[in-house]
Structure formats: structure tokens, C-alpha cells
Amino acid sequence: MIDGEEEQLIRSAVGGDSSAFGSLYDRYQPAIYRFILVKVGSREEAEDITHHVFLSAWQKVGTYKHRGHPFSSWLYQIARNMVIDHYRSRKDDVSLDKLDPESSIIPAVAQFDLFTKMQLEKVRRAIAELKTDHQDVIILRFIEDLPLKETAAILKKSEGAIKLAQHRAIKELKKKLGDPEGDDNYENEII
Amino acid sequence: MTITKMKLSDILKQFKYIEPDAEFSVRSRTEILLSPQAAPRTWRSVFTVLHMVETGAAVALAGFFIFILAGSFSPTRSIAPIQYAVIDPAGLHAEAQAIDMQIQLTDVEYPQVTSTAATSTASAAISSAFAGAVAAQPTSSVSVSTLTAAPVVPTSTASTTALSVDQVLQQLSQ
């Protein structure tokens, strides 16, 4: 649900008020950046894509139609499409072995100790190996803690389909991380 | 110890502490807000329609000129027919034929005029031979005097030779 302040900001931004859009940028830019960074793995690429997401949003905000979902849903949808376009433009499958050492989230998590950084990078790579829909579900549901309804709106699926997808995504992620049997307890904790 | 043995939820929660670089955020925000917004949809539709009309008109005009050039179109014939009506082939043909006739008649008359004196005196016998016939037709007295002017009217020698040869021959045959 969006509060009255956000609704007013959206209305002003749709009318072309740059300061209102600036406030929306400040509010949602970190989450959009994280969403992109976990998927692409490179801080530079994540910054470029994030910039283009908000630039596109600013240029198209006049056409925004409020349908009861938070403004972030619209931004996530733009970000999703831009990441897909980004991989299409690269035209080659990036293997984990070929990844540039600089292409990691480690520079973006400077505040953590080395062990935590390595853990985060390992998990991020495992997430990046999942299907796109599973990546999105894990990021939105388990990293950003978005409610089921908003996740369903962003991914344009039913809530039931999202529940099923997150079940499969967690199971797949655990396999990637070295637990072939998976651990359904974690998913149960989340849900 | 594997990650799955740890609390995976805790690890995933730590991703939320990832923050973009502050300098990047400020620079990106400024650039975005300084960039112009796209034109409203209605104006974009109008521009799209105008662009389509412009392109269509250009293609149609080019096709029209190609058709004209390929079809040997003559603008002087189709656009301004009055100014060039004299170039009518039938009229030209008739006029040319008339000019030729006059030239022929002139050519025929000239030696006739110059030889009038000679013929009028030298062919006195011929004229006298025809005198009877000429005298029988009072209406053709002028034409007779043309050929036989000297003996009849001495003052009018070659000045009245405007009669054509055909007429004279016709009269002679009569």
C-alpha cells in the first residue's frame, strides 16, 4: 500500500515536478540498485543500468497510471526489462569461470568482513545461475521482503504462482549451494 | 561449514545492506532530473502522423515525376494547348501544300511574263488562229489580251499577266 505522501509525490512527478521525482528516486534507488546488482554481479554495470532505469522512468513518468500498486512496482518492471535487454545485447553467455574478478558485489559491500563478503558473493553467483523468474522471486521476497501481492504484481503472475515459484527457487538455490536435498524449513520460516 | 548449514535467511538479509555509491547516486540523480522529459503522448501522436504524411507525400511526388519522365509526358502539349495550336499536324500539312502551290504557280508565271512580248509578237499566227475562239467568248477578252496584248492593246503588255496557266489552258480547251 502506498501512503498519502507517496501518492502526492507520484501525482506531482506525473505532472512533471522534478523535485517530486527526485524524492521518489531517493526512496527507491537503493532497492532498484540491489535488485540489478544481484542479477548482473558487476557494480559498474549495475550503476549504468540503474541510471538508465530512472532516466527512462523520468522520461515516461507522464504516462504512469496508478493501479493501486506502489510506485516501486513500476520501477522493478522497468529494471527487469532493462536487465533482460542488457543480457541480450551482450549476446554471449557469461560463465562464472570467465567472470572478471572485478565483476562482483564485493566492492559494494565494503562494510562487511572478508568472510561475509565471500559468502555473499557465493550466494549471489548461485542466485545468478537460477532461472530469471526464480532470481526475481528470491530477490523480491527474501532480500527485499516485499509482500506476496506486490511481488505478484511486479512479475505479473498470480499469488499462487509466486508461492510455487519461491518454493522451487529456494530448493534450487540450496542445491546450487551444496545441499542436494534442500531444506524446506527455511522457506517455511519465510512464508 | 556450508552455507546451507548456516541460516540462509541471515545471509540473504545481509544483501539488504548493500548501498549504491553515494557519489554515483548524486551524479545520476542530477543528470536525470536535468534531462528533458519526453513529449506528451498526444503530441507524439501528432508528430508521428505528420511524419507519415510527409513521407507519403514525398514518395507520391517522386512516383509522379518518375511516371512523367518514363511516359514521355510533354507539358507544352497537355498544359498549354492554346499557345501551340498552330503545331497541329493536319493544319501544318494543308498550309505546306498551299505554299508549294503558290511557289509552283509563281515559277510557272515568271517565264510566262518575261516571254510575253516575244510570244505576243512571235506567235501572232497562233493567236490569230485562236482569235476566232476568243472572240466568240466576250467574258474572256481580258485573258486573251494577256497573251496577245501587243497586237490588240499596245499599252498593256505584261502588267495584266496575273491569270494562271490553268485558267488559260482551260479557256484554250474551251
Side-chain angles (χ1 to χ4, degrees):
Chain A
M1 292 294 288
I2 59 174
D3 53 23
E5 184 191 1
E6 180 171 325
E7 197 171 347
Q8 181 59 40
L9 285 174
I10 293 169
R11 198 173 293 126
S12 300
V14 169
D17 184 353
S18 59
S19 64
F21 187 83
S23 299
L24 292 170
Y25 177 93
D26 295 337
R27 184 177 290 200
Y28 294 117
Q29 188 251 17
I32 297 296
Y33 172 78
R34 276 193 298 273
F35 177 80
I36 295 167
L37 179 66
V38 172
K39 288 167 80 72
V40 302
S42 161
R43 193 178 64 170
E44 286 77 16
E45 289 179 3
E47 288 180 352
D48 285 347
I49 297 171
T50 303
H51 177 78
H52 284 102
V53 166
F54 280 92
L55 183 63
S56 176
W58 169 239
Q59 290 174 340
K60 295 176 183 172
V61 74
T63 65
Y64 176 78
K65 296 280 187 297
H66 180 59
R67 294 186 172 91
H69 303 299
F71 189 70
S72 59
S73 301
W74 187 57
L75 295 174
Y76 276 119
Q77 285 177 358
I78 297 173
R80 252 184 112 223
N81 292 332
M82 286 217 172
V83 171
I84 291 169
D85 290 344
H86 170 74
Y87 280 117
R88 277 186 190 150
S89 65
R90 289 175 67 170
K91 289 184 178 175
D92 55 341
D93 293 328
V94 179
S95 157
L96 290 179
D97 299 333
K98 294 177 184 174
L99 277 175
D100 188 343
E102 294 295 320
S103 294
S104 74
I105 62 168
I106 291 176
V109 288
Q111 68 271 31
F112 296 119
D113 59 62
L114 184 61
F115 179 73
T116 308
K117 286 177 185 174
M118 298 301 291
Q119 274 192 332
L120 288 173
E121 179 58 22
K122 187 175 181 180
V123 172
R124 191 209 67 77
R125 291 189 176 198
I127 293 171
E129 285 184 62
L130 300 176
K131 286 166 53 181
T132 305
D133 285 351
H134 288 176
Q135 292 177 23
D136 296 340
V137 167
I138 287 189
I139 296 168
L140 296 174
R141 289 284 290 141
F142 303 132
I143 295 177
E144 298 298 331
D145 282 333
L146 293 184
L148 204 58
K149 186 179 178 182
E150 189 176 340
T151 306
I154 293 167
L155 300 181
K156 295 181 178 175
K157 291 185 175 179
S158 66
E159 293 183 23
I162 297 298
K163 281 181 183 174
L164 188 61
Q166 73 183 22
H167 171 77
R168 289 174 177 166
I170 286 292
K171 197 171 179 180
E172 190 68 21
L173 179 61
K174 285 181 176 178
K175 276 187 188 175
K176 299 272 182 200
L177 290 171
D179 182 6
E181 296 177 2
D183 182 5
D184 290 342
N185 292 333
Y186 171 67
E187 188 200 351
N188 292 335
E189 284 173 22
I190 296 286
I191 299 171
Chain B
M1 188 168 67
T2 64
I3 287 174
T4 48
K5 299 292 181 188
M6 299 171 60
K7 269 270 198 186
L8 183 58
S9 60
D10 292 339
I11 297 172
L12 289 176
K13 295 287 178 206
Q14 284 178 325
F15 277 99
K16 204 165 185 177
Y17 294 103
I18 295 175
E19 291 286 335
D21 182 54
E23 187 183 344
F24 154 74
S25 298
V26 172
R27 182 167 37 84
S28 172
R29 187 184 193 273
T30 308
E31 285 180 17
I32 288 167
L33 297 182
L34 287 177
S35 66
Q37 279 187 301
R41 182 172 289 179
T42 51
W43 283 108
R44 273 186 286 149
S45 304
V46 170
F47 290 146
T48 305
V49 170
L50 285 176
H51 183 67
M52 289 170 65
V53 168
E54 183 183 357
T55 307
V59 170
L61 202 61
F64 177 69
F65 280 117
I66 288 170
F67 172 75
I68 286 174
L69 292 175
S72 302
F73 173 79
S74 172
T76 56
R77 192 171 51 194
S78 298
I79 296 173
I82 298 170
Q83 294 177 0
Y84 297 93
V86 292
I87 310 181
D88 179 39
L92 280 176
H93 184 68
E95 191 175 348
Q97 288 216 335
I99 290 169
D100 289 340
M101 284 293 290
Q102 286 179 358
I103 291 170
Q104 284 177 351
L105 289 174
T106 307
D107 289 343
V108 169
E109 282 175 4
Y110 182 71
Q112 209 171 15
V113 170
T114 53
S115 62
T116 301
T119 53
S120 60
T121 54
S123 61
I126 300 171
S127 56
S128 61
F130 288 104
V134 172
Q137 295 180 3
T139 53
S140 62
S141 59
V142 176
S143 59
V144 172
S145 67
T146 304
L147 288 173
T148 60
V152 179
V153 183
T155 54
S156 60
T157 54
S159 61
T160 58
T161 58
L163 201 61
S164 67
V165 175
D166 294 335
Q167 289 172 330
V168 173
L169 289 175
Q170 186 182 4
Q171 289 175 359
L172 288 175
S173 66
Q174 290 174 356

